[in-house]
Amino acid sequence: MDALRAAAPGAPMRLDARLGEPLRRTTLNVVGTLPGPASDVVLLTAHYDHLGVRDGLIYPGANDNASGVAAVLEMTRLLKSEGLHRRGVLVAFFGCEEEGGHGSIAFRESPPLPLADIVANINFEMVGQRDPAHPESLALT
C-alpha cells in the first residue's frame, strides 16, 4: 500500500503504479423489461463502469456512475410497484462506457427489440452532484 497516498480531504488520491501491456477486457450489458400492452417502450439507461485510475489519480465511481445505476433501479422499482403502464419500460446498464461507449454501441448494433419501438431514452449520469452553476436544477443526460 506504499503506492497509495492519501490526499487532502475531498481531493482525489494519487496512485503510483507501473503501466503494463494493454489488457483485453470483456464487459456485459445488463438488460431487463417491464412489459406494457403496447409494443413501444421507454428506455432507462445508465453505465456501471467508472474511470478507475487515470494518470495515477483515483476516481471513485460512486457518482460516475453508481448514482445513475441506483436512480434507474429505483425508477424501475417505482414503476413496477404502480402496475401496468401504457408503454413498456426497457432498462439497460452499459459496460465499458468510460472507455469509448462500447456498451451502448453494442446495444445499438444488436438491440433486444427494434430501435423504432424505443420512443424515448432517459440516461441517468452522475445524479449524485449538482452543477455549481445551476444548484437549483437536477441534470440528466
Side-chain angles (χ1 to χ4, degrees):
M1 281 304 213
D2 291 335
L4 188 61
R5 291 190 196 92
M13 297 179 79
R14 180 143 187 93
L15 174 68
D16 294 322
R18 283 189 222 177
L19 294 177
E21 290 296 314
L23 299 174
R24 180 180 175 148
R25 297 188 181 142
T26 300
T27 190
L28 299 172
N29 287 339
V30 179
V31 180
T33 61
L34 294 176
S39 64
D40 56 356
V41 299
V42 173
L43 175 62
L44 304 177
T45 59
H47 68 91
Y48 65 84
D49 63 324
H50 65 94
L51 291 172
V53 178
R54 299 279 168 106
D55 297 323
L57 293 177
I58 298 173
Y59 293 88
N63 190 40
D64 186 9
N65 191 31
S67 65
V69 170
V72 171
L73 288 170
E74 180 62 6
M75 179 80 68
T76 304
R77 185 190 68 77
L78 290 170
L79 289 168
K80 179 158 178 46
S81 72
E82 294 174 351
L84 195 63
H85 292 270
R86 191 182 98 189
R87 288 190 168 108
V89 177
L90 184 63
V91 177
F93 300 104
F94 301 132
C96 266
E97 289 300 285
E98 296 290 6
E99 295 188 18
H102 301 294
S104 56
I105 291 168
F107 181 91
R108 183 190 70 214
E109 298 299 318
S110 185
L113 71 158
L115 292 178
D117 288 350
I118 300 173
V119 297
N121 174 209
I122 304 172
N123 182 59
F124 292 79
E125 170 79 15
M126 293 178 54
V127 298
Q129 288 183 306
R130 295 188 183 271
D131 182 344
H134 305 283
E136 72 289 345
S137 63
L138 172 66
L140 299 175
T141 55

